[in-house]
Amino acid sequence: MAALRGLLARPLTSYYLLLSSAGLLLLIGLTMVFSATSVRDYAEAGDAAASVTKQAIFAVIGIVAFWACQRLPATTFRSLGRPLLGGAVVLLLVLNLLVALNALFGLASLGPLRANLLWLYLGPIQVQPAELAKLALVLWGAHVVARKGAALGWWKELATPLFPVVGLLFVLVGYNDLGSMLCLLAIVVGLLWAAGVRLRVFAALSAVGLVGVGLLVAVASLGAGSGARGQENYRLARLTSFLDTPDPAKCVEDACWQMVQARNAIEHGGWFGVGLGKGSLKFGWLPAAHNDFIFAVIAEELGVVGCTVILVLFAVLAYTGLRIARRVADPFRRLAATAVTAWLVGQAVINVGGVTKLLPLTGVPLPFISDGGSALVVTLAAVGMLASFARAEPDAARALHARPPARWVRLVWAPLPPLPGARSRPASPPAAPGSVPRARGRRPDDQAVPRGVRQDRTRGGPASERRR
């Protein structure tokens, strides 16, 4: 324990913990995507590495986004919040408009734009606007809450502009994707918790959130999400199957099919799994095995041991994010680090809880591991922002300035963070040519003291003058 405390006390521990946990999760994700998709890709297209190659390309783009974000200061992140939020709202409006036009009039595309439930396509480019909305809400929300400061104790300060914008995002995202809306809710809760908002505010938000989730479940019968008018409400079916699991033999056509197959995969894996790539439930039995249910593939092939490694890595990520939030001095950094941590860890909890039937199934990907380009790029960009904040911790900044790396390292990797408490001061005017600086100027001759003679520091005169 003493050695562990010594390691945790080092100035750059947060930075290295963040890199190691996120890097290991990314490598495990690429491996499991290949394991879950190789046989299907080979059977369909003759290329077993088609899906993992696409995911690896997005991983490289995400690493570039990580590198760029860890070089940016906090002021740049604060200025990026509003443009990113505006772009996310526009993309969500376009996505919902195209989905509505397709459902009402059968219009599949609008020029080069077309939509498929959660994804927006512009030619060959595929974007999931809900993922961009998560990062935008982190940056914009942290900036707004940090600017309000102690005024957050008043309801009207929360009502303008935080709650209207958050409500708009909840409607635009939750109409098609209830799971992503819950991730946005986790971000808002993390922001308000880090800001020290009173508990009664959380109670009111919980009541409003339950009412909103109930409305989103109800509108699925009217065509929201992947529902259809006149058909069974798939959101309500998932909720009822979680509360009261029917007979597995009758789940062939019911909403509990995914849960039953995920449980079969976990049972088949046992403690140590059947071996990497040797799982059988992914061969057409387990829906979305490469995406939402990839944790079940991990459980089958790597067993309880592999699942424990994944959960430990997410626990390390959660500890690191909260450690960064506790150590940084800037309010914006503290709020943004808490919000990103709540987002990534909350999404992992929702995914794992849905696969293991500890929570209702909502259909969100597992961060770093599930197949999906937009989610992976945005997640790595958020981790890059956390890395920038980790280098800005007071002890880390002092250590980096005490032993600065080589110039080429700072150009390629990341510049030095600002020292804590350092403020930019205007430069003093240059001295006249040939003049002597004031600090080095000699005393006049009548006040000069001969060398070797100590000056008498006592004051002469009466005691009253000495007291003055």
Side-chain angles (χ1 to χ4, degrees):
M1 294 302 295
L4 179 61
R5 286 194 295 267
L7 290 175
L8 294 178
R10 293 185 177 182
L12 289 172
T13 297
S14 301
Y15 182 74
Y16 292 126
L17 282 177
L18 184 67
L19 287 184
S20 58
S21 59
L24 287 174
L25 286 172
L26 179 61
L27 290 176
I28 293 174
L30 292 174
T31 304
M32 297 312 302
V33 166
F34 177 72
S35 175
T37 60
S38 57
V39 175
R40 184 199 64 187
D41 290 343
Y42 184 78
E44 293 178 354
D47 184 7
S51 295
V52 73
T53 301
K54 183 179 177 181
Q55 186 73 357
I57 293 173
F58 282 111
V60 172
I61 298 174
I63 292 174
V64 173
F66 168 88
W67 172 82
C69 287
Q70 84 156 351
R71 296 179 61 89
L72 300 178
T75 53
T76 304
F77 287 116
R78 297 186 77 153
S79 61
L80 286 175
R82 185 175 296 179
L84 280 179
L85 183 66
V89 170
V90 171
L91 290 177
L92 288 170
L93 287 173
V94 173
L95 174 65
N96 289 322
L97 176 62
L98 290 176
V99 171
L101 290 176
N102 189 17
L104 295 176
F105 306 105
L107 187 61
S109 62
L110 191 63
L113 288 174
R114 57 188 179 92
N116 182 14
L117 190 59
L118 306 180
W119 291 270
L120 188 64
Y121 297 88
L122 179 60
I125 302 175
Q126 176 182 351
V127 180
Q128 192 171 357
E131 298 297 330
L132 182 61
K134 297 173 185 177
L135 182 59
L137 181 59
V138 168
L139 299 180
W140 179 82
H143 172 65
V144 170
V145 174
R147 187 181 58 189
K148 288 184 178 295
L152 284 174
W154 300 92
W155 273 99
K156 68 177 184 179
E157 296 296 334
L158 288 172
T160 55
L162 186 64
F163 282 175
V165 174
V166 169
L168 176 63
L169 284 178
F170 280 5
V171 172
L172 293 178
V173 173
Y175 184 78
N176 289 325
D177 189 0
L178 183 60
S180 295
M181 194 212 73
L182 294 177
C183 295
L184 294 178
L185 181 61
I187 293 173
V188 175
V189 170
L191 283 173
L192 298 181
W193 175 72
V197 176
R198 299 174 183 177
L199 291 179
R200 61 185 182 185
V201 176
F202 287 102
L205 287 178
S206 300
V208 174
L210 289 176
V211 173
V213 170
L215 290 175
L216 290 174
V217 170
V219 297
S221 299
L222 303 176
S226 58
R229 187 184 298 271
Q231 295 184 3
E232 182 184 10
N233 190 327
Y234 73 101
R235 288 176 178 171
L236 184 61
R238 285 179 173 181
L239 185 60
T240 54
S241 63
F242 167 75
L243 297 176
D244 186 16
T245 304
D247 185 5
K250 300 179 181 179
C251 285
V252 178
E253 298 179 357
D254 295 337
C256 61
W257 170 261
Q258 290 176 312
M259 292 185 178
V260 171
Q261 295 303 321
R263 181 175 294 182
N264 291 337
I266 295 172
E267 181 183 4
H268 190 204
W271 284 97
F272 301 101
V274 298
L276 184 63
K278 297 181 180 180
S280 59
L281 272 296
K282 61 189 178 184
F283 298 147
W285 294 96
L286 181 63
H290 63 291
N291 194 355
D292 296 344
F293 280 82
I294 198 169
F295 190 77
V297 178
I298 296 173
E300 183 183 11
E301 297 185 356
L302 304 180
V304 176
V305 176
C307 294
T308 303
V309 170
I310 300 296
L311 296 179
V312 168
L313 288 176
F314 276 109
V316 172
L317 185 65
Y319 165 77
T320 306
L322 296 178
R323 172 190 169 102
I324 294 171
R326 183 173 59 88
R327 287 174 172 253
V328 292
D330 182 20
F332 171 78
R333 290 191 176 102
R334 182 180 70 251
L335 293 168
T338 306
V340 169
T341 306
W343 157 26
L344 297 180
V345 177
Q347 184 169 330
V349 169
I350 294 172
N351 178 274
V352 175
V355 172
T356 57
K357 203 177 178 301
L358 296 176
L359 292 174
L361 187 62
T362 55
V364 294
L366 188 61
F368 300 101
I369 297 179
S370 293
D371 186 17
S374 300
L376 184 60
V377 172
V378 174
T379 300
L380 289 176
V383 174
M385 182 178 65
L386 277 181
S388 173
F389 296 165
R391 290 169 55 87
E393 292 181 5
D395 293 340
R398 295 190 189 99
L400 290 173
H401 279 271
R403 294 180 57 186
R407 183 177 179 84
W408 70 269
V409 175
R410 296 199 299 270
L411 291 175
V412 172
W413 194 237
L416 290 175
L419 281 172
R423 297 180 179 179
S424 59
R425 299 178 179 178
S428 56
S435 62
V436 180
R438 181 176 299 178
R440 298 183 181 180
R442 297 188 59 182
R443 307 178 193 176
D445 292 338
D446 56 342
Q447 297 181 5
V449 179
R451 180 170 299 187
V453 180
R454 184 175 181 180
Q455 185 180 5
D456 188 9
R457 298 180 182 270
T458 59
R459 294 182 179 179
S464 60
E465 293 182 4
R466 290 200 299 272
R467 281 196 296 270
R468 287 198 298 269

